[in-house]
C-alpha cells in the first residue's frame, strides 16, 4: 500500500532490491522487473576484483587485473567491434598471460597473475549467463513512475552485493551529474530488502 501510494499520489519512481523474489511474485501494480544482467563495459576493475574475489590486500592481483580489464575494454570501445562474453574474457586472459610470461617480473608476481587468471576462469564458468554486452546500464532500465524490481533471488550474496553497489553508485553519479548541470532531479525511492546483508 505504501509503495503504491508513492506512485499514485506523488508520481514517484521506486526501485526495490528484492533479495528473495517476494516483490517479483507479488501483485503490486505498475511493476517493472529489471533483469539482473550486467554489461561488462559498465563495470569498473574494482567491481570486477570484488566479483572474482580478489581480496583488498592482494594489491598485485588487483593491479594486473585492472590493467588487463581496462585495456580490453579500451580495445572494444576504440575498435567499435561486437564481441561475445567469452571472446572478451579470452582477451583479458591473453593480456594477463602475456604479463605472466614476462621475464621482467619475479616468481611472486607471476604467481599473483596466475591466481587472477584462475579466478577469472572460475568466475566466467559460474556467472557467464549474467553478463551481456547487449544490455543497457541498469539505471537506463529503471522506468519512471513505476515500481522497478531487481530480482536478486537467484544470485549468491557476493553477486547480489555487486548488483546493488553498482546500481546505487550509478544512480548517485547520475543524480550528481543532473545537479551539476542544473537539470530537474528525478526523485527515486529505493527499498533495500534485507539491507543487513
Amino acid at each position: 500500500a505504501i509503495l503504491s501510494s508513492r506512485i499514485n499520489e506523488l508520481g514517484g519512481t521506486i526501485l526495490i532490491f528484492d533479495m528473495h523474489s517476494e516483490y517479483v511474485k507479488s501483485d503490486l501494480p505498475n511493476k517493472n522487473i529489471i533483469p539482473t544482467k550486467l554489461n561488462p563495459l559498465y563495470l569498473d576493475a574494482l567491481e570486477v576484483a570484488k566479483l572474482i574475489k580478489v581480496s583488498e590486500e592482494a594489491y598485485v592481483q588487483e593491479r594486473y587485473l585492472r590493467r588487463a580489464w581496462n585495456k580490453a575494454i579500451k580495445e572494444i570501445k576504440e575498435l567499435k567491434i561486437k564481441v561475445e562474453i567469452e571472446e572478451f574474457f579470452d582477451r583479458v586472459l591473453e593480456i594477463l598471460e602475456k604479463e605472466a610470461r614476462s621475464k621482467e617480473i619475479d616468481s611472486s608476481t607471476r604467481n599473483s597473475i596466475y591466481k587472477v587468471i584462475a579466478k577469472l576462469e572460475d568466475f566466467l564458468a559460474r556467472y557467464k549467463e549474467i553478463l551481456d554486452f547487449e544490455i543497457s546500464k541498469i539505471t537506463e532500465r529503471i522506468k519512471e513512475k513505476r515500481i522497478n524490481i531487481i530480482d536478486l533471488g537467484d544470485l549468491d550474496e557476493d553477486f547480489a552485493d555487486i548488483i546493488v553497489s553498482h546500481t546505487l553508485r550509478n544512480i548517485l553519479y547520475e543524480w550528481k551529474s543532473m545537479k551539476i548541470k542544473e537539470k530537474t532531479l528525478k526523485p527515486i525511492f529505493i527499498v533495500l530488502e534485507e539491507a543487513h546483508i
Side-chain angles (χ1 to χ4, degrees):
I2 294 172
L3 295 175
S4 297
S5 69
R6 299 300 98 185
I7 297 289
N8 297 333
E9 295 168 26
L10 304 176
T13 299
I14 295 170
L15 176 63
I16 301 172
F17 292 99
D18 189 2
M19 204 61 190
H20 300 298
S21 305
E22 295 165 332
Y23 291 89
V24 171
K25 295 171 187 168
S26 73
D27 59 352
L28 284 169
N30 296 317
K31 282 194 298 193
N32 172 40
I33 311 300
I34 298 174
T36 49
K37 286 186 176 277
L38 290 177
N39 187 330
L41 292 175
Y42 306 125
L43 285 172
D44 67 37
L46 289 175
E47 289 174 315
V48 178
K50 191 169 182 182
L51 272 175
I52 69 169
K53 300 184 186 339
V54 170
S55 73
E56 291 180 9
E57 296 80 33
Y59 305 109
V60 175
Q61 289 181 35
E62 190 275 323
R63 182 173 70 245
Y64 280 92
L65 171 65
R66 180 172 18 90
R67 283 166 40 177
W69 186 266
N70 290 342
K71 185 174 182 178
I73 293 285
K74 186 177 177 186
E75 287 174 4
I76 289 176
K77 288 182 175 178
E78 284 180 355
L79 297 174
K80 296 180 181 173
I81 54 174
K82 193 173 182 178
V83 296
E84 297 297 322
I85 293 296
E86 286 172 334
E87 289 176 276
F88 171 74
F89 273 83
D90 284 346
R91 181 61 185 132
V92 175
L93 292 168
E94 184 182 303
I95 295 166
L96 286 166
E97 284 167 5
K98 185 177 178 184
E99 294 273 17
R101 289 192 301 269
S102 170
K103 293 177 180 173
E104 297 175 13
I105 60 171
D106 59 26
S107 61
S108 174
T109 301
R110 186 170 289 108
N111 287 338
S112 291
I113 296 170
Y114 280 123
K115 283 179 184 174
V116 172
I117 289 170
K119 288 175 182 181
L120 272 171
E121 289 172 338
D122 178 60
F123 171 78
L124 186 59
R126 291 170 60 204
Y127 295 116
K128 183 177 75 173
E129 71 282 351
I130 329 181
L131 300 171
D132 186 350
F133 276 120
E134 298 298 314
I135 204 154
S136 60
K137 286 183 181 180
I138 284 186
T139 52
E140 292 172 4
R141 289 179 260 156
I142 296 170
K143 294 184 179 173
E144 289 184 52
K145 300 181 181 179
R146 300 279 295 275
I147 298 175
N148 298 274
I149 303 168
I150 297 180
D151 184 8
L152 305 171
D154 292 333
L155 304 180
D156 62 34
E157 285 184 18
D158 291 333
F159 207 99
D161 183 46
I162 293 295
I163 296 271
V164 172
S165 62
H166 175 78
T167 305
L168 292 177
R169 188 178 299 111
N170 278 277
I171 288 171
L172 179 61
Y173 172 78
E174 289 180 17
W175 188 86
K176 282 181 175 180
S177 177
M178 282 191 287
K179 191 172 177 91
I180 290 166
K181 294 174 184 172
E182 296 184 354
K183 290 187 176 180
T184 305
L185 297 176
K186 299 175 184 177
I188 184 166
F189 183 80
I190 297 171
V191 178
L192 290 167
E193 183 70 17
E194 301 288 340
H196 62 283
I197 296 173

